[in-house]
Amino acid sequence: QAAYNKKIESNTWENWPTGPSIYAQSAIVMEADTGMILYAKDMEAKHYPASITKIMTALVTLDHCELNEEVEYSYYATHSIEYGSSSIARTEGEILTVEESLYALMLSSANECANALAEHVAGSNEEFAKLMNAKAEELGCVNTHFSNPSGLHDENHYTCAYDMALITSAALQNEDFRRIAGTDYYTLRATNKNDEEHWMQNHHYMIAPYRTDKYLDDTVFAGKTGYTSDALNTLVTCGTRNDMDVIVVTMRTQSTGERGVPLFTDTAALLDYANNFQ
C-alpha cells in the first residue's frame, strides 16, 4: 500500500493527463521513437533489475555478433548459475547459434545462455559487463551499473525505470530483437549434446499464455520479465497505442499471491493510459 500511495510525478505536470496509481515502486511510460516521457513514478530510483537485465545483454550481443555464429557453452557458463534459477539445462561443450541462445535468453530467461553469450562476445562475464556499462553510458543512462549478463543478484548490479526504458528503446531499433523478444514460443533443435528438441514459451503473460491467458494483449509486441527475492518483480513491456510504440517499465512490484496481480494489471493500466497521447 505504501508503494501504491507514492507520488506520481507526471500527475503534477500542468495540463497533463492524470495517470493511474499502481503498486510498482517505480515506473515509466515512454514513447519509443522520441523518448517522450508520458508517465513518471520515481523513475530514476535505483533498483535491482533481475532478468530485465537480459534486454541489455541481447542489445550488446546483437551489436557485436551475427545471428548464425556458433556459441560453445563452457563449464563455467553452464555450472555457475544459482541452483533453481532460470535455465534450459544446457551442458558443457554444447553448441548453439547466437540466435538460438537469444531465443532462450529472452523467452525462457536462461541464465546459462546469458553467460555463454557474454563469453562468446567478450571472453568473460566481467569483460562483457564493461561493454554493458559502456552502452548504458552511450545511451544516457543516469543510474545504472551492470555486473553480469543475467541479472542474478549482485549489490553492484542496479538500474532504474528510466534507464531501462532508454535501453529498451535502443533495442527496439534492431528488428531481430523485436522479432525474438515478441515470439510467443520457439522450438530449439536437437544439438551435439542433446538428442531432444526443447520447447520454450515466452514468460511474459501479455505475449504468451505461459501460466495464464487472462492478460494476453495482441498490441504487446515485445517484453521481458524479471524476479529475484531482492529485486521483487520487474517488467518491461512494449505495446502499440494510437500508432505509437510505447515502453512500460515497472520495478519492485510486490506480488499479492494471485497470479499476475498486480504486476500485469499495473502494466495494463499504464498501456491504457498511453491512449491519452498521439
Side-chain angles (χ1 to χ4, degrees):
Q1 192 62 46
Y4 186 83
N5 292 336
K6 282 180 71 173
K7 178 181 178 180
I8 300 167
E9 288 82 358
S10 53
N11 284 354
T12 68
W13 300 347
E14 187 175 359
N15 299 322
W16 206 255
T18 300
S21 294
I22 59 171
Y23 288 94
Q25 290 194 19
S26 297
I28 189 173
V29 181
M30 177 184 285
E31 199 278 319
D33 292 333
T34 63
M36 175 67 72
I37 298 167
L38 309 181
Y39 178 99
K41 178 182 178 181
D42 209 9
M43 67 180 184
E44 294 185 3
K46 180 172 75 174
H47 294 297
Y48 301 125
S51 283
I52 60 174
T53 296
K54 290 170 176 132
I55 296 173
M56 177 62 101
T57 300
L59 175 58
V60 172
T61 298
L62 289 165
D63 281 349
H64 288 82
C65 298
E66 299 296 327
L67 293 177
N68 61 358
E69 292 178 23
E70 292 188 339
V71 179
E72 183 171 349
Y73 282 53
S74 71
Y75 178 87
Y76 178 84
T78 55
H79 288 74
S80 63
I81 61 177
E82 294 178 8
Y83 177 77
S85 67
S86 299
S87 168
I88 59 164
R90 299 302 96 177
T91 190
E92 181 183 5
E94 193 157 0
I95 297 174
L96 277 65
T97 65
V98 166
E99 183 173 28
E100 290 167 336
S101 299
L102 286 170
Y103 272 112
L105 181 83
M106 294 303 297
L107 272 64
S108 291
S109 206
N111 290 315
E112 77 273 33
C113 298
N115 289 342
L117 287 168
E119 291 178 353
H120 179 74
V121 171
S124 69
N125 282 359
E126 293 74 19
E127 290 301 311
F128 188 81
K130 292 178 182 178
L131 296 178
M132 298 170 78
N133 290 320
K135 189 68 174 181
E137 183 176 1
E138 173 192 328
L139 295 174
C141 292
V142 298
N143 202 4
T144 289
H145 183 270
F146 292 118
S147 298
N148 63 65
S150 64
L152 290 173
H153 182 67
D154 184 307
E155 288 188 357
N156 293 314
H157 187 94
Y158 56 83
T159 187
C160 64
Y162 174 73
D163 290 354
M164 281 308 308
L166 289 179
I167 292 164
T168 304
S169 177
L172 290 177
Q173 295 175 32
N174 188 300
E175 289 300 322
D176 291 319
F177 175 86
R178 293 174 74 107
R179 170 175 56 84
I180 292 169
T183 295
D184 52 359
Y185 67 90
Y186 180 80
T187 302
L188 178 65
R189 63 182 172 85
T191 71
N192 63 314
K193 294 285 186 176
N194 198 321
D195 294 335
E196 301 292 328
E197 293 181 338
H198 183 83
W199 189 80
M200 297 179 283
Q201 189 170 37
N202 200 312
H203 290 185
H204 196 301
Y205 291 7
M206 290 178 152
I207 297 173
Y210 176 56
R211 290 177 175 167
T212 177
D213 62 3
K214 67 186 293 185
Y215 303 108
L216 287 175
D217 184 336
D218 60 10
T219 71
V220 173
F221 61 86
K224 183 72 189 77
T225 59
Y227 175 82
T228 67
S229 58
D230 294 285
L232 301 182
N233 289 287
T234 60
L235 185 66
V236 175
T237 306
C238 308
T240 303
R241 290 293 184 277
N242 291 338
D243 296 321
M244 303 181 301
D245 287 349
V246 295
I247 299 164
V248 176
V249 182
T250 59
M251 301 195 72
R252 199 162 180 80
T253 305
Q254 179 70 56
S255 174
T256 63
E258 183 181 350
R259 184 159 290 166
V261 179
L263 184 62
F264 290 95
T265 51
D266 275 0
T267 292
L270 292 173
L271 283 171
D272 287 345
Y273 168 76
N275 286 322
N276 288 293
F277 304 90
Q278 59 183 331

